[in-house]
Amino acid sequence: MVTTETRAEIEEYLGRVPSWIDALPEPAADHSWGIVRDLELEETELEGREKALVALGAASAMQCPYCVHFHREEAKLEEVTDKELSEAIGVASSVRYFSTVLHGAEIDHETFVSETKEIVDHVRDKQAAAPSDD
């Protein structure tokens, strides 16, 4: 259960206190709200639009119907289009798919890191050599 002060703050931010807030264990309740407030609702390095797309991708990959619903609605508030929502979900599914392949095939992590460095270096070199749009 969150404190009275935190409950008032949640109402100010969200217009109401969602029922799931009461499911938070008391020792972590105020802190849990603080994480949502500070990381998801306040200004950070990521724009709200970017946060909503990241959150929707993660929620989709975790297959959490609660989080998917919330973050789809959040993305719509940020004027994310249906095509962009679909793409974010597609990217998340691609990451989950290839993670499954990598884990299932027990790909050596050190080899993967080395190959990734080579790929990044190659792409960086190609970008540097590309003519600029100036």
Side-chain angles (χ1 to χ4, degrees):
M1 184 77 96
V2 295
T3 62
T4 303
E5 181 179 292
T6 298
R7 187 169 288 280
E9 184 178 285
I10 294 168
E11 283 185 28
E12 179 65 29
Y13 271 86
L14 305 179
R16 63 163 295 142
V17 177
S19 59
W20 59 264
I21 291 290
D22 292 330
L24 296 170
E26 188 171 336
D30 287 348
H31 177 71
S32 296
W33 164 250
I35 292 170
V36 170
R37 178 197 63 219
D38 297 344
L39 191 57
E40 295 184 34
L41 302 177
E42 289 292 321
E43 287 188 31
T44 64
E45 296 299 316
L46 294 177
E47 298 291 329
R49 184 176 215 289
E50 295 166 320
K51 291 179 197 184
L53 287 168
V54 169
L56 177 60
S60 298
M62 289 185 304
Q63 301 178 343
C64 174
Y66 303 98
C67 297
V68 167
H69 177 76
F70 182 86
H71 294 297
R72 280 182 74 86
E73 295 302 315
E74 176 187 29
K76 289 176 186 177
L77 283 173
E78 295 292 336
E79 299 181 2
V80 174
T81 67
D82 287 342
K83 285 183 179 183
E84 291 168 322
L85 289 172
S86 179
E87 186 174 333
I89 294 164
V91 169
S93 77
S94 173
V95 171
R96 185 175 175 136
Y97 170 79
F98 284 105
S99 176
T100 302
V101 170
L102 292 165
H103 280 81
E106 295 181 322
I107 299 300
D108 180 72
H109 187 261
E110 288 180 27
T111 300
F112 180 83
V113 169
S114 176
E115 291 171 346
T116 299
K117 181 186 179 322
E118 289 176 23
I119 291 166
V120 169
D121 289 345
H122 173 77
V123 171
R124 192 173 283 133
D125 290 345
K126 283 184 71 171
Q127 289 173 335
S132 69
D133 291 334
D134 295 335

